[in-house]
PDB file of all heavy atoms in Angstrom:
ATOM      1  N   LEU S   1      -8.270  -5.464  -3.276  1.00 96.00           N
ATOM      2  CA  LEU S   1      -7.231  -5.210  -4.221  1.00 96.00           C
ATOM      3  C   LEU S   1      -6.102  -4.450  -3.534  1.00 96.00           C
ATOM      4  O   LEU S   1      -6.381  -3.642  -2.643  1.00 96.00           O
ATOM      5  CB  LEU S   1      -7.741  -4.323  -5.372  1.00 96.00           C
ATOM      6  CG  LEU S   1      -8.987  -4.829  -6.104  1.00 96.00           C
ATOM      7  CD1 LEU S   1      -9.499  -3.779  -7.091  1.00 96.00           C
ATOM      8  CD2 LEU S   1      -8.717  -6.160  -6.810  1.00 96.00           C
ATOM      9  N   ALA S   2      -4.871  -4.643  -3.966  1.00 96.00           N
ATOM     10  CA  ALA S   2      -3.768  -3.896  -3.412  1.00 96.00           C
ATOM     11  C   ALA S   2      -2.928  -3.298  -4.523  1.00 96.00           C
ATOM     12  O   ALA S   2      -2.857  -3.881  -5.570  1.00 96.00           O
ATOM     13  CB  ALA S   2      -2.925  -4.807  -2.536  1.00 96.00           C
ATOM     14  N   ALA S   3      -2.418  -2.091  -4.323  1.00 93.00           N
ATOM     15  CA  ALA S   3      -1.694  -1.394  -5.404  1.00 93.00           C
ATOM     16  C   ALA S   3      -0.525  -0.689  -4.736  1.00 93.00           C
ATOM     17  O   ALA S   3      -0.566  -0.144  -3.617  1.00 93.00           O
ATOM     18  CB  ALA S   3      -2.514  -0.458  -6.117  1.00 93.00           C
ATOM     19  N   GLU S   4       0.614  -0.748  -5.420  1.00 90.00           N
ATOM     20  CA  GLU S   4       1.847  -0.054  -5.047  1.00 90.00           C
ATOM     21  C   GLU S   4       1.612   1.483  -5.139  1.00 90.00           C
ATOM     22  O   GLU S   4       0.833   1.942  -5.964  1.00 90.00           O
ATOM     23  CB  GLU S   4       3.029  -0.449  -5.820  1.00 90.00           C
ATOM     24  CG  GLU S   4       3.377  -1.869  -5.675  1.00 90.00           C
ATOM     25  CD  GLU S   4       3.923  -2.314  -4.287  1.00 90.00           C
ATOM     26  OE1 GLU S   4       4.443  -1.421  -3.597  1.00 90.00           O
ATOM     27  OE2 GLU S   4       3.745  -3.480  -3.912  1.00 90.00           O
ATOM     28  N   PHE S   5       2.317   2.261  -4.344  1.00 86.00           N
ATOM     29  CA  PHE S   5       2.189   3.698  -4.392  1.00 86.00           C
ATOM     30  C   PHE S   5       2.535   4.307  -5.852  1.00 86.00           C
ATOM     31  O   PHE S   5       1.896   5.237  -6.244  1.00 86.00           O
ATOM     32  CB  PHE S   5       3.104   4.337  -3.390  1.00 86.00           C
ATOM     33  CG  PHE S   5       2.552   4.469  -2.046  1.00 86.00           C
ATOM     34  CD1 PHE S   5       1.564   3.724  -1.580  1.00 86.00           C
ATOM     35  CD2 PHE S   5       3.213   5.347  -1.149  1.00 86.00           C
ATOM     36  CE1 PHE S   5       1.067   3.821  -0.315  1.00 86.00           C
ATOM     37  CE2 PHE S   5       2.736   5.480   0.156  1.00 86.00           C
ATOM     38  CZ  PHE S   5       1.630   4.717   0.585  1.00 86.00           C
ATOM     39  N   ASP S   6       3.403   3.687  -6.566  1.00 84.00           N
ATOM     40  CA  ASP S   6       3.826   4.225  -7.829  1.00 84.00           C
ATOM     41  C   ASP S   6       2.723   4.014  -8.890  1.00 84.00           C
ATOM     42  O   ASP S   6       2.805   4.640  -9.899  1.00 84.00           O
ATOM     43  CB  ASP S   6       5.098   3.572  -8.329  1.00 84.00           C
ATOM     44  CG  ASP S   6       6.316   4.073  -7.615  1.00 84.00           C
ATOM     45  OD1 ASP S   6       6.211   5.214  -6.999  1.00 84.00           O
ATOM     46  OD2 ASP S   6       7.390   3.488  -7.683  1.00 84.00           O
ATOM     47  N   GLU S   7       1.660   3.306  -8.615  1.00 88.00           N
ATOM     48  CA  GLU S   7       0.556   3.220  -9.522  1.00 88.00           C
ATOM     49  C   GLU S   7      -0.384   4.474  -9.348  1.00 88.00           C
ATOM     50  O   GLU S   7      -1.376   4.532 -10.163  1.00 88.00           O
ATOM     51  CB  GLU S   7      -0.244   1.974  -9.265  1.00 88.00           C
ATOM     52  CG  GLU S   7       0.595   0.686  -9.519  1.00 88.00           C
ATOM     53  CD  GLU S   7      -0.210  -0.578  -9.182  1.00 88.00           C
ATOM     54  OE1 GLU S   7      -1.422  -0.629  -9.513  1.00 88.00           O
ATOM     55  OE2 GLU S   7       0.400  -1.534  -8.675  1.00 88.00           O
ATOM     56  N   TYR S   8      -0.097   5.412  -8.469  1.00 83.00           N
ATOM     57  CA  TYR S   8      -0.939   6.576  -8.216  1.00 83.00           C
ATOM     58  C   TYR S   8      -0.050   7.802  -8.459  1.00 83.00           C
ATOM     59  O   TYR S   8       1.019   7.961  -7.863  1.00 83.00           O
ATOM     60  CB  TYR S   8      -1.467   6.633  -6.801  1.00 83.00           C
ATOM     61  CG  TYR S   8      -2.486   5.532  -6.531  1.00 83.00           C
ATOM     62  CD1 TYR S   8      -2.044   4.291  -6.107  1.00 83.00           C
ATOM     63  CD2 TYR S   8      -3.863   5.795  -6.647  1.00 83.00           C
ATOM     64  CE1 TYR S   8      -3.007   3.311  -5.909  1.00 83.00           C
ATOM     65  CE2 TYR S   8      -4.747   4.753  -6.398  1.00 83.00           C
ATOM     66  CZ  TYR S   8      -4.350   3.568  -5.994  1.00 83.00           C
ATOM     67  OH  TYR S   8      -5.204   2.522  -5.800  1.00 83.00           O
ATOM     68  N   VAL S   9      -0.463   8.746  -9.252  1.00 82.00           N
ATOM     69  CA  VAL S   9       0.221   9.964  -9.538  1.00 82.00           C
ATOM     70  C   VAL S   9       0.587  10.713  -8.298  1.00 82.00           C
ATOM     71  O   VAL S   9       1.747  11.120  -8.100  1.00 82.00           O
ATOM     72  CB  VAL S   9      -0.578  10.853 -10.479  1.00 82.00           C
ATOM     73  CG1 VAL S   9       0.100  12.241 -10.665  1.00 82.00           C
ATOM     74  CG2 VAL S   9      -0.766  10.184 -11.837  1.00 82.00           C
ATOM     75  N   GLU S  10      -0.332  10.833  -7.354  1.00 80.00           N
ATOM     76  CA  GLU S  10      -0.143  11.644  -6.169  1.00 80.00           C
ATOM     77  C   GLU S  10       0.832  10.953  -5.183  1.00 80.00           C
ATOM     78  O   GLU S  10       1.286  11.593  -4.226  1.00 80.00           O
ATOM     79  CB  GLU S  10      -1.399  12.000  -5.477  1.00 80.00           C
ATOM     80  CG  GLU S  10      -2.267  10.848  -5.019  1.00 80.00           C
ATOM     81  CD  GLU S  10      -3.313  10.425  -6.124  1.00 80.00           C
ATOM     82  OE1 GLU S  10      -3.007  10.346  -7.299  1.00 80.00           O
ATOM     83  OE2 GLU S  10      -4.419  10.163  -5.754  1.00 80.00           O
ATOM     84  N   LEU S  11       1.055   9.646  -5.363  1.00 82.00           N
ATOM     85  CA  LEU S  11       1.965   8.919  -4.456  1.00 82.00           C
ATOM     86  C   LEU S  11       3.262   8.461  -5.107  1.00 82.00           C
ATOM     87  O   LEU S  11       4.150   7.994  -4.445  1.00 82.00           O
ATOM     88  CB  LEU S  11       1.219   7.665  -3.894  1.00 82.00           C
ATOM     89  CG  LEU S  11      -0.065   7.939  -3.140  1.00 82.00           C
ATOM     90  CD1 LEU S  11      -0.762   6.609  -2.779  1.00 82.00           C
ATOM     91  CD2 LEU S  11       0.166   8.729  -1.839  1.00 82.00           C
ATOM     92  N   HIS S  12       3.308   8.732  -6.431  1.00 78.00           N
ATOM     93  CA  HIS S  12       4.524   8.220  -7.165  1.00 78.00           C
ATOM     94  C   HIS S  12       5.829   8.843  -6.587  1.00 78.00           C
ATOM     95  O   HIS S  12       5.904   9.944  -6.268  1.00 78.00           O
ATOM     96  CB  HIS S  12       4.421   8.676  -8.599  1.00 78.00           C
ATOM     97  CG  HIS S  12       5.463   8.107  -9.484  1.00 78.00           C
ATOM     98  ND1 HIS S  12       5.455   6.834  -9.882  1.00 78.00           N
ATOM     99  CD2 HIS S  12       6.568   8.709 -10.019  1.00 78.00           C
ATOM    100  CE1 HIS S  12       6.575   6.594 -10.609  1.00 78.00           C
ATOM    101  NE2 HIS S  12       7.229   7.731 -10.683  1.00 78.00           N
ATOM    102  N   GLY S  13       6.771   7.966  -6.338  1.00 77.00           N
ATOM    103  CA  GLY S  13       8.108   8.308  -5.940  1.00 77.00           C
ATOM    104  C   GLY S  13       8.251   8.547  -4.346  1.00 77.00           C
ATOM    105  O   GLY S  13       9.319   8.846  -3.934  1.00 77.00           O
ATOM    106  N   LEU S  14       7.177   8.270  -3.703  1.00 78.00           N
ATOM    107  CA  LEU S  14       7.290   8.436  -2.169  1.00 78.00           C
ATOM    108  C   LEU S  14       8.088   7.344  -1.522  1.00 78.00           C
ATOM    109  O   LEU S  14       8.688   7.533  -0.451  1.00 78.00           O
ATOM    110  CB  LEU S  14       5.901   8.511  -1.546  1.00 78.00           C
ATOM    111  CG  LEU S  14       5.191   9.851  -1.683  1.00 78.00           C
ATOM    112  CD1 LEU S  14       3.772   9.809  -1.138  1.00 78.00           C
ATOM    113  CD2 LEU S  14       5.954  10.988  -1.004  1.00 78.00           C
ATOM    114  N   LEU S  15       8.054   6.160  -2.132  1.00 79.00           N
ATOM    115  CA  LEU S  15       8.798   5.025  -1.607  1.00 79.00           C
ATOM    116  C   LEU S  15       9.989   4.662  -2.373  1.00 79.00           C
ATOM    117  O   LEU S  15       9.989   3.764  -3.182  1.00 79.00           O
ATOM    118  CB  LEU S  15       7.819   3.828  -1.416  1.00 79.00           C
ATOM    119  CG  LEU S  15       6.846   3.892  -0.246  1.00 79.00           C
ATOM    120  CD1 LEU S  15       5.838   2.726  -0.402  1.00 79.00           C
ATOM    121  CD2 LEU S  15       7.585   3.860   1.088  1.00 79.00           C
ATOM    122  N   THR S  16      11.011   5.486  -2.258  1.00 74.00           N
ATOM    123  CA  THR S  16      12.249   5.197  -2.995  1.00 74.00           C
ATOM    124  C   THR S  16      13.417   5.441  -2.094  1.00 74.00           C
ATOM    125  O   THR S  16      13.291   6.160  -1.070  1.00 74.00           O
ATOM    126  CB  THR S  16      12.353   6.148  -4.236  1.00 74.00           C
ATOM    127  OG1 THR S  16      12.392   7.504  -3.790  1.00 74.00           O
ATOM    128  CG2 THR S  16      11.285   5.916  -5.202  1.00 74.00           C
ATOM    129  N   GLY S  17      14.568   4.813  -2.359  1.00 71.00           N
ATOM    130  CA  GLY S  17      15.728   5.098  -1.659  1.00 71.00           C
ATOM    131  C   GLY S  17      15.986   3.993  -0.588  1.00 71.00           C
ATOM    132  O   GLY S  17      15.295   3.060  -0.447  1.00 71.00           O
ATOM    133  N   ARG S  18      17.037   4.308   0.210  1.00 71.00           N
ATOM    134  CA  ARG S  18      17.484   3.280   1.190  1.00 71.00           C
ATOM    135  C   ARG S  18      16.543   3.169   2.454  1.00 71.00           C
ATOM    136  O   ARG S  18      16.621   2.269   3.150  1.00 71.00           O
ATOM    137  CB  ARG S  18      18.883   3.600   1.628  1.00 71.00           C
ATOM    138  CG  ARG S  18      18.919   5.003   2.339  1.00 71.00           C
ATOM    139  CD  ARG S  18      20.442   5.217   2.810  1.00 71.00           C
ATOM    140  NE  ARG S  18      20.517   6.503   3.466  1.00 71.00           N
ATOM    141  CZ  ARG S  18      20.267   6.594   4.740  1.00 71.00           C
ATOM    142  NH1 ARG S  18      19.922   5.581   5.529  1.00 71.00           N
ATOM    143  NH2 ARG S  18      20.454   7.803   5.306  1.00 71.00           N
ATOM    144  N   ASP S  19      15.632   4.171   2.624  1.00 70.00           N
ATOM    145  CA  ASP S  19      14.742   4.148   3.763  1.00 70.00           C
ATOM    146  C   ASP S  19      13.624   3.076   3.581  1.00 70.00           C
ATOM    147  O   ASP S  19      12.936   2.806   4.596  1.00 70.00           O
ATOM    148  CB  ASP S  19      14.145   5.530   3.964  1.00 70.00           C
ATOM    149  CG  ASP S  19      15.107   6.497   4.507  1.00 70.00           C
ATOM    150  OD1 ASP S  19      16.238   6.152   4.992  1.00 70.00           O
ATOM    151  OD2 ASP S  19      14.856   7.715   4.450  1.00 70.00           O
ATOM    152  N   VAL S  20      13.368   2.592   2.371  1.00 79.00           N
ATOM    153  CA  VAL S  20      12.253   1.742   2.136  1.00 79.00           C
ATOM    154  C   VAL S  20      12.554   0.316   2.531  1.00 79.00           C
ATOM    155  O   VAL S  20      13.645  -0.224   2.246  1.00 79.00           O
ATOM    156  CB  VAL S  20      11.897   1.790   0.622  1.00 79.00           C
ATOM    157  CG1 VAL S  20      10.811   0.805   0.342  1.00 79.00           C
ATOM    158  CG2 VAL S  20      11.510   3.200   0.303  1.00 79.00           C
ATOM    159  N   ALA S  21      11.583  -0.328   3.204  1.00 83.00           N
ATOM    160  CA  ALA S  21      11.718  -1.704   3.594  1.00 83.00           C
ATOM    161  C   ALA S  21      10.365  -2.291   3.391  1.00 83.00           C
ATOM    162  O   ALA S  21       9.329  -1.779   3.847  1.00 83.00           O
ATOM    163  CB  ALA S  21      12.084  -1.898   5.017  1.00 83.00           C
ATOM    164  N   ARG S  22      10.178  -3.276   2.604  1.00 85.00           N
ATOM    165  CA  ARG S  22       8.876  -3.918   2.303  1.00 85.00           C
ATOM    166  C   ARG S  22       8.476  -4.771   3.501  1.00 85.00           C
ATOM    167  O   ARG S  22       8.895  -5.884   3.691  1.00 85.00           O
ATOM    168  CB  ARG S  22       9.039  -4.726   1.057  1.00 85.00           C
ATOM    169  CG  ARG S  22       9.253  -3.973  -0.191  1.00 85.00           C
ATOM    170  CD  ARG S  22       8.197  -2.927  -0.528  1.00 85.00           C
ATOM    171  NE  ARG S  22       8.542  -2.058  -1.657  1.00 85.00           N
ATOM    172  CZ  ARG S  22       7.828  -1.161  -2.069  1.00 85.00           C
ATOM    173  NH1 ARG S  22       6.732  -0.726  -1.370  1.00 85.00           N
ATOM    174  NH2 ARG S  22       8.214  -0.371  -3.022  1.00 85.00           N
ATOM    175  N   LEU S  23       7.657  -4.143   4.380  1.00 91.00           N
ATOM    176  CA  LEU S  23       7.207  -4.842   5.502  1.00 91.00           C
ATOM    177  C   LEU S  23       5.713  -5.240   5.503  1.00 91.00           C
ATOM    178  O   LEU S  23       5.320  -6.093   6.209  1.00 91.00           O
ATOM    179  CB  LEU S  23       7.449  -3.942   6.767  1.00 91.00           C
ATOM    180  CG  LEU S  23       8.881  -3.517   7.027  1.00 91.00           C
ATOM    181  CD1 LEU S  23       8.887  -2.506   8.191  1.00 91.00           C
ATOM    182  CD2 LEU S  23       9.683  -4.682   7.297  1.00 91.00           C
ATOM    183  N   ILE S  24       4.906  -4.603   4.659  1.00 95.00           N
ATOM    184  CA  ILE S  24       3.518  -4.915   4.564  1.00 95.00           C
ATOM    185  C   ILE S  24       3.312  -6.125   3.570  1.00 95.00           C
ATOM    186  O   ILE S  24       3.690  -6.071   2.532  1.00 95.00           O
ATOM    187  CB  ILE S  24       2.740  -3.770   4.025  1.00 95.00           C
ATOM    188  CG1 ILE S  24       2.901  -2.534   4.953  1.00 95.00           C
ATOM    189  CG2 ILE S  24       1.248  -4.046   3.856  1.00 95.00           C
ATOM    190  CD1 ILE S  24       2.287  -1.251   4.412  1.00 95.00           C
ATOM    191  N   GLY S  25       2.745  -7.148   4.192  1.00 94.00           N
ATOM    192  CA  GLY S  25       2.611  -8.390   3.443  1.00 94.00           C
ATOM    193  C   GLY S  25       1.131  -8.665   3.174  1.00 94.00           C
ATOM    194  O   GLY S  25       0.280  -7.935   3.579  1.00 94.00           O
ATOM    195  N   PRO S  26       0.851  -9.743   2.413  1.00 95.00           N
ATOM    196  CA  PRO S  26      -0.565 -10.107   2.083  1.00 95.00           C
ATOM    197  C   PRO S  26      -1.479 -10.262   3.321  1.00 95.00           C
ATOM    198  O   PRO S  26      -2.651  -9.818   3.209  1.00 95.00           O
ATOM    199  CB  PRO S  26      -0.385 -11.430   1.291  1.00 95.00           C
ATOM    200  CG  PRO S  26       0.998 -11.428   0.832  1.00 95.00           C
ATOM    201  CD  PRO S  26       1.802 -10.685   1.844  1.00 95.00           C
ATOM    202  N   GLU S  27      -0.930 -10.799   4.349  1.00 95.00           N
ATOM    203  CA  GLU S  27      -1.755 -10.990   5.557  1.00 95.00           C
ATOM    204  C   GLU S  27      -2.167  -9.655   6.115  1.00 95.00           C
ATOM    205  O   GLU S  27      -3.330  -9.401   6.636  1.00 95.00           O
ATOM    206  CB  GLU S  27      -1.017 -11.785   6.634  1.00 95.00           C
ATOM    207  CG  GLU S  27      -0.477 -13.105   6.206  1.00 95.00           C
ATOM    208  CD  GLU S  27       0.807 -13.008   5.519  1.00 95.00           C
ATOM    209  OE1 GLU S  27       1.583 -12.006   5.710  1.00 95.00           O
ATOM    210  OE2 GLU S  27       1.166 -13.934   4.756  1.00 95.00           O
ATOM    211  N   ASP S  28      -1.229  -8.632   6.123  1.00 95.00           N
ATOM    212  CA  ASP S  28      -1.505  -7.291   6.632  1.00 95.00           C
ATOM    213  C   ASP S  28      -2.578  -6.590   5.781  1.00 95.00           C
ATOM    214  O   ASP S  28      -3.495  -5.950   6.259  1.00 95.00           O
ATOM    215  CB  ASP S  28      -0.288  -6.426   6.591  1.00 95.00           C
ATOM    216  CG  ASP S  28       0.860  -7.090   7.435  1.00 95.00           C
ATOM    217  OD1 ASP S  28       0.590  -7.475   8.605  1.00 95.00           O
ATOM    218  OD2 ASP S  28       1.978  -7.131   6.925  1.00 95.00           O
ATOM    219  N   ILE S  29      -2.478  -6.856   4.464  1.00 96.00           N
ATOM    220  CA  ILE S  29      -3.494  -6.222   3.515  1.00 96.00           C
ATOM    221  C   ILE S  29      -4.870  -6.818   3.802  1.00 96.00           C
ATOM    222  O   ILE S  29      -5.852  -6.086   3.862  1.00 96.00           O
ATOM    223  CB  ILE S  29      -3.058  -6.427   2.025  1.00 96.00           C
ATOM    224  CG1 ILE S  29      -1.762  -5.721   1.802  1.00 96.00           C
ATOM    225  CG2 ILE S  29      -4.196  -6.047   1.072  1.00 96.00           C
ATOM    226  CD1 ILE S  29      -1.025  -6.120   0.555  1.00 96.00           C
ATOM    227  N   GLN S  30      -4.982  -8.134   3.964  1.00 95.00           N
ATOM    228  CA  GLN S  30      -6.291  -8.783   4.171  1.00 95.00           C
ATOM    229  C   GLN S  30      -6.852  -8.251   5.559  1.00 95.00           C
ATOM    230  O   GLN S  30      -8.036  -8.032   5.667  1.00 95.00           O
ATOM    231  CB  GLN S  30      -6.115 -10.237   4.178  1.00 95.00           C
ATOM    232  CG  GLN S  30      -5.918 -10.846   2.791  1.00 95.00           C
ATOM    233  CD  GLN S  30      -7.019 -10.541   1.880  1.00 95.00           C
ATOM    234  OE1 GLN S  30      -8.211 -10.627   2.240  1.00 95.00           O
ATOM    235  NE2 GLN S  30      -6.740 -10.301   0.622  1.00 95.00           N
ATOM    236  N   GLU S  31      -5.957  -8.177   6.562  1.00 94.00           N
ATOM    237  CA  GLU S  31      -6.451  -7.765   7.883  1.00 94.00           C
ATOM    238  C   GLU S  31      -6.953  -6.269   7.840  1.00 94.00           C
ATOM    239  O   GLU S  31      -8.001  -5.959   8.322  1.00 94.00           O
ATOM    240  CB  GLU S  31      -5.326  -7.866   8.888  1.00 94.00           C
ATOM    241  CG  GLU S  31      -5.809  -7.518  10.288  1.00 94.00           C
ATOM    242  CD  GLU S  31      -4.758  -7.725  11.407  1.00 94.00           C
ATOM    243  OE1 GLU S  31      -3.717  -8.457  11.098  1.00 94.00           O
ATOM    244  OE2 GLU S  31      -4.884  -7.092  12.382  1.00 94.00           O
ATOM    245  N   ALA S  32      -6.207  -5.431   7.153  1.00 94.00           N
ATOM    246  CA  ALA S  32      -6.641  -3.990   6.975  1.00 94.00           C
ATOM    247  C   ALA S  32      -7.893  -3.923   6.194  1.00 94.00           C
ATOM    248  O   ALA S  32      -8.811  -3.134   6.547  1.00 94.00           O
ATOM    249  CB  ALA S  32      -5.503  -3.216   6.353  1.00 94.00           C
ATOM    250  N   ALA S  33      -7.986  -4.728   5.140  1.00 94.00           N
ATOM    251  CA  ALA S  33      -9.218  -4.684   4.279  1.00 94.00           C
ATOM    252  C   ALA S  33     -10.467  -5.076   5.143  1.00 94.00           C
ATOM    253  O   ALA S  33     -11.594  -4.681   4.781  1.00 94.00           O
ATOM    254  CB  ALA S  33      -9.013  -5.541   3.071  1.00 94.00           C
ATOM    255  N   GLY S  34     -10.225  -5.985   6.131  1.00 94.00           N
ATOM    256  CA  GLY S  34     -11.300  -6.376   6.950  1.00 94.00           C
ATOM    257  C   GLY S  34     -11.879  -5.154   7.732  1.00 94.00           C
ATOM    258  O   GLY S  34     -13.008  -5.283   8.242  1.00 94.00           O
ATOM    259  N   LEU S  35     -11.175  -4.123   7.886  1.00 94.00           N
ATOM    260  CA  LEU S  35     -11.640  -2.940   8.579  1.00 94.00           C
ATOM    261  C   LEU S  35     -12.454  -1.999   7.717  1.00 94.00           C
ATOM    262  O   LEU S  35     -13.079  -1.047   8.143  1.00 94.00           O
ATOM    263  CB  LEU S  35     -10.483  -2.146   9.134  1.00 94.00           C
ATOM    264  CG  LEU S  35      -9.544  -2.881  10.144  1.00 94.00           C
ATOM    265  CD1 LEU S  35      -8.278  -2.055  10.400  1.00 94.00           C
ATOM    266  CD2 LEU S  35     -10.257  -3.197  11.429  1.00 94.00           C
ATOM    267  N   LEU S  36     -12.373  -2.224   6.334  1.00 95.00           N
ATOM    268  CA  LEU S  36     -12.945  -1.366   5.349  1.00 95.00           C
ATOM    269  C   LEU S  36     -14.380  -1.837   5.007  1.00 95.00           C
ATOM    270  O   LEU S  36     -14.726  -3.006   4.957  1.00 95.00           O
ATOM    271  CB  LEU S  36     -12.174  -1.344   4.126  1.00 95.00           C
ATOM    272  CG  LEU S  36     -10.718  -0.882   4.229  1.00 95.00           C
ATOM    273  CD1 LEU S  36     -10.015  -1.008   2.878  1.00 95.00           C
ATOM    274  CD2 LEU S  36     -10.624   0.539   4.700  1.00 95.00           C
ATOM    275  N   GLU S  37     -15.212  -0.797   4.786  1.00 95.00           N
ATOM    276  CA  GLU S  37     -16.525  -1.002   4.267  1.00 95.00           C
ATOM    277  C   GLU S  37     -16.395  -1.335   2.761  1.00 95.00           C
ATOM    278  O   GLU S  37     -15.425  -0.884   2.132  1.00 95.00           O
ATOM    279  CB  GLU S  37     -17.457   0.150   4.434  1.00 95.00           C
ATOM    280  CG  GLU S  37     -17.707   0.460   5.945  1.00 95.00           C
ATOM    281  CD  GLU S  37     -18.560   1.622   6.116  1.00 95.00           C
ATOM    282  OE1 GLU S  37     -19.232   2.104   5.086  1.00 95.00           O
ATOM    283  OE2 GLU S  37     -18.681   2.101   7.180  1.00 95.00           O
ATOM    284  N   ARG S  38     -17.421  -1.970   2.128  1.00 96.00           N
ATOM    285  CA  ARG S  38     -17.396  -2.305   0.736  1.00 96.00           C
ATOM    286  C   ARG S  38     -17.366  -0.842   0.021  1.00 96.00           C
ATOM    287  O   ARG S  38     -18.071   0.048   0.452  1.00 96.00           O
ATOM    288  CB  ARG S  38     -18.561  -3.118   0.291  1.00 96.00           C
ATOM    289  CG  ARG S  38     -18.505  -4.557   0.721  1.00 96.00           C
ATOM    290  CD  ARG S  38     -19.654  -5.324   0.370  1.00 96.00           C
ATOM    291  NE  ARG S  38     -19.510  -6.711   0.764  1.00 96.00           N
ATOM    292  CZ  ARG S  38     -19.650  -7.756  -0.074  1.00 96.00           C
ATOM    293  NH1 ARG S  38     -19.939  -7.557  -1.280  1.00 96.00           N
ATOM    294  NH2 ARG S  38     -19.497  -8.911   0.435  1.00 96.00           N
ATOM    295  N   GLY S  39     -16.663  -0.789  -1.069  1.00 96.00           N
ATOM    296  CA  GLY S  39     -16.623   0.455  -1.835  1.00 96.00           C
ATOM    297  C   GLY S  39     -15.769   1.521  -1.234  1.00 96.00           C
ATOM    298  O   GLY S  39     -16.026   2.752  -1.331  1.00 96.00           O
ATOM    299  N   SER S  40     -14.712   1.160  -0.437  1.00 95.00           N
ATOM    300  CA  SER S  40     -13.829   2.073   0.188  1.00 95.00           C
ATOM    301  C   SER S  40     -12.403   1.608  -0.029  1.00 95.00           C
ATOM    302  O   SER S  40     -12.108   0.571  -0.524  1.00 95.00           O
ATOM    303  CB  SER S  40     -14.154   2.218   1.597  1.00 95.00           C
ATOM    304  OG  SER S  40     -13.933   1.054   2.404  1.00 95.00           O
TER     305      SER S  40
END
């Protein structure tokens, strides 16, 4: 599963403004998830 920062209270508002560039794509998420154990 993948979720944007704004879906979390503690991360809300961290990715706003002109500095933000959407660089993380679905392939990156799948590759990173491959590093995770189940339930993490």
